[in-house]
Amino acid sequence: MQTYLEQAFGKSDVTGPRMRAALREWLDLYYGTPRHGEDPAPRLAALIVGKLCRTVFAEYDARLAPTAGPLWQDSLRTLNAVAKTAVQYALIGGECLLKPVPTGRTLDFVPIRRDCYAPLARDAHGNLLAVGTMETHTRNGTRYALLERRVAGADGLTIETRLFELNGQALGRCVPLSTLEACADLVPQLFLPGVPGVGLAVLRTPLANCVDGSADAVSVYAPAVGLLHALARCEEQLNTEFANGASRVFASEDLLRPDAQGRRTLRDDLFVGLPDDPANIGVTVYSPALREQSYLARKQDLLRGCESLLGLRRGILSETEAEAEPRTATEVAATAVDYDLTIRDLQAMWADAARQAMTLCGALGTLYGLTDRADTPALTIDWGDGVLYDRARVWAEQRDLVDAGLLRPELALAWYYGLPHETEADLRRIRSQFMPKGETT
């Protein structure tokens, strides 16, 4: 894809070679691509991503103010539909893009995986200033590549679009966009005033780059890549140990004869009654002892190392019942706190991307005539309780303050239900909805 973009736009991927190699390694670990001497069956990377994503969205609830128009309400529903997929893409590759696509009177969001786009320019903070993407189409046996380059500007977004007829592995010749029905409504160059950035919501994992120190985001399991490979090698060695533990029959060379398929076997007429003295026979059965305990102990040690590096709760990957060094209550609490902070960071990553998406809805909705209001309604996200936060305890404290006359009940209700409460009109709305008539504060 980088070569195609270079040929089409004269721009290349700014990602360094070490980051490109690391991205390929992350994807291979997640999708179980086999390596020599490793068993990819355990799929630890997929286990880590799956557990983190399920925990992030365990009690997720996002809503807009009731006054938000249908554009935002419908767009939020389409955004929530791809939320888990987008977060998993970000956890795997470090970064994921959400592309808003007009569909009728609303916007749909398509998650773009890290290996499916090429960053063409970034600022010092890693924010995208230009990005290239590619779609492939086929018609009548001919393959086409639709290349798109987005460039952020001070006044808006510029989108350049090219369609090429692929010639084998070469980019081929540029053809009009009207060649394909799916691209007939596109234009070679489009300027969208007021659209922020590259017109895409971005998810970035909250981890410092541990590959080459650049501004590129890294996979959530990037710090533990070495341990994941060691675990795959340990699993392969354990498989070999069990394979070698099968019973073996040792026979002298003169007793073996090739069969019709060329396999060397023992003749049937060799198997006759045995004498009482086993020292006189020519065949010996050998069953080696297994050393699985040493391999399993090593595996548990590697899994606990992964948990420590990734900020996971002890026992999520390893066996908590396994015999190991004693752990104090402080150590148990510390790992629980680390895990809670890890989840909070990932929840903040999605919340930031969701608000970017809602902002894009306002900018694009105004340009496409889907709405007549440019202001974006406030997005409220409720993540539920965590290890460091107990909603029931805080709610009890809030009610005690209300009973003592130190807190207005409208504010307590606004906190509990996540309602706006900045203006007197907001407070009147809460009183009319939740409080008995005639009650005053």
Side-chain angles (χ1 to χ4, degrees):
M1 184 177 69
Q2 289 84 358
T3 304
Y4 288 168
L5 289 167
E6 289 176 359
Q7 295 178 33
F9 300 112
K11 303 292 181 180
S12 60
D13 192 340
V14 296
T15 307
R18 288 181 60 188
M19 276 299 300
R20 282 202 215 78
L23 175 62
R24 186 69 265 160
E25 187 175 26
W26 302 333
L27 293 169
D28 288 346
L29 282 170
Y30 185 83
Y31 292 106
T33 303
R35 281 191 173 193
H36 178 70
E38 296 183 3
D39 180 11
R43 305 287 290 274
L44 264 298
L47 176 64
I48 292 167
V49 170
K51 283 185 175 291
L52 289 174
C53 186
R54 284 193 296 271
T55 305
V56 165
F57 290 101
E59 301 178 73
Y60 170 74
D61 180 39
R63 55 185 177 272
L64 297 166
T67 55
L71 169 65
W72 282 277
Q73 299 287 3
D74 294 339
S75 297
L76 180 59
R77 280 192 288 272
T78 62
L79 181 65
N80 287 335
V82 300
K84 293 182 180 180
T85 301
V87 167
Q88 289 182 76
Y89 282 170
L91 297 181
I92 297 167
E95 191 175 56
C96 174
L97 305 181
L98 286 167
K99 180 179 180 179
V101 179
T103 305
R105 299 296 300 174
T106 186
L107 292 176
D108 192 9
F109 288 91
V110 179
I112 307 176
R113 208 171 61 188
R114 177 60 181 85
D115 59 326
C116 296
Y117 64 90
L120 304 179
R122 293 186 186 272
D123 62 14
H125 302 288
N127 300 316
L128 288 170
L129 300 178
V131 64
T133 60
M134 184 183 77
E135 298 178 15
T136 57
H137 299 266
T138 302
R139 192 190 68 174
N140 298 330
T142 304
R143 295 175 61 243
Y144 296 87
L146 178 66
L147 300 178
E148 182 181 272
R149 178 191 177 207
R150 291 169 169 254
V151 180
D155 301 324
L157 168 66
T158 301
I159 302 177
E160 298 178 60
T161 307
R162 303 285 188 273
L163 182 64
F164 288 85
E165 181 181 321
L166 296 178
N167 182 17
Q169 297 300 318
L171 184 58
R173 64 187 183 92
C174 185
V175 297
L177 292 171
S178 57
T179 304
L180 295 179
E181 184 179 353
C183 308
D185 295 334
L186 301 177
V187 295
Q189 184 160 329
L190 177 66
F191 177 70
L192 299 176
V195 176
V198 292
L200 305 168
V202 183
L203 289 89
R204 287 175 56 90
T205 52
L207 299 174
N209 189 300
C210 58
V211 176
D212 61 357
S214 65
D216 290 285
V218 297
S219 168
V220 71
Y221 51 83
V225 162
L227 291 180
L228 295 180
H229 284 297
L231 280 161
R233 289 193 297 270
C234 183
E235 193 71 19
E236 179 66 18
Q237 291 169 355
L238 187 58
N239 293 339
T240 304
E241 181 72 12
F242 277 93
N244 292 337
S247 297
R248 296 293 192 271
V249 175
F250 294 88
S252 58
E253 186 73 19
D254 61 312
L255 299 179
L256 299 175
R257 293 290 184 271
D259 60 9
Q261 286 77 33
R263 295 172 299 187
R264 302 175 72 190
T265 60
L266 291 170
R267 299 193 310 273
D268 291 343
D269 58 359
L270 290 174
F271 297 94
V272 295
L274 298 177
D276 295 334
D277 185 4
N280 297 326
I281 65 175
V283 175
T284 303
V285 177
Y286 171 65
S287 296
L290 295 176
R291 301 170 296 168
E292 74 273 15
Q293 289 303 320
S294 59
Y295 285 108
L296 292 176
R298 173 59 173 161
K299 183 176 179 179
Q300 292 303 314
D301 184 58
L302 292 171
L303 288 171
R304 286 191 290 270
C306 286
E307 292 168 347
S308 299
L309 277 175
L310 303 180
L312 304 179
R313 183 185 288 117
R314 183 62 58 88
I316 281 186
L317 302 178
S318 62
E319 293 289 342
T320 54
E321 293 82 6
E323 294 183 3
E325 69 279 0
R327 293 187 294 123
T328 65
T330 301
E331 291 173 329
V332 174
T335 59
V337 170
D338 285 344
Y339 185 52
D340 185 80
L341 295 175
T342 299
I343 297 301
R344 285 171 179 258
D345 287 342
L346 299 180
Q347 289 171 341
M349 173 188 72
W350 171 252
D352 180 61
R355 292 187 172 93
Q356 292 180 43
M358 291 297 100
T359 301
L360 287 173
C361 283
L364 295 174
T366 304
L367 288 174
Y368 295 147
L370 303 178
T371 181
D372 55 358
R373 50 179 297 185
D375 57 317
T376 302
L379 175 65
T380 302
I381 298 180
D382 185 3
W383 296 107
D385 294 345
V387 175
L388 303 181
Y389 178 73
D390 187 346
R391 177 193 291 267
R393 178 182 59 79
V394 178
W395 175 236
E397 293 175 354
Q398 296 261 18
R399 286 185 294 167
D400 290 341
L401 291 174
V402 171
D403 294 339
L406 300 177
L407 180 67
R408 298 179 64 176
E410 298 97 319
L411 297 178
L413 290 166
W415 169 85
Y416 188 80
Y417 291 104
L419 300 173
H421 54 274
E422 287 78 13
T423 65
E424 188 61 34
D426 293 334
L427 298 180
R428 284 198 302 270
R429 192 178 301 110
I430 294 173
R431 284 196 296 269
S432 63
Q433 186 174 357
F434 295 100
M435 300 173 63
K437 292 184 178 180
E439 184 176 332
T440 59
T441 60

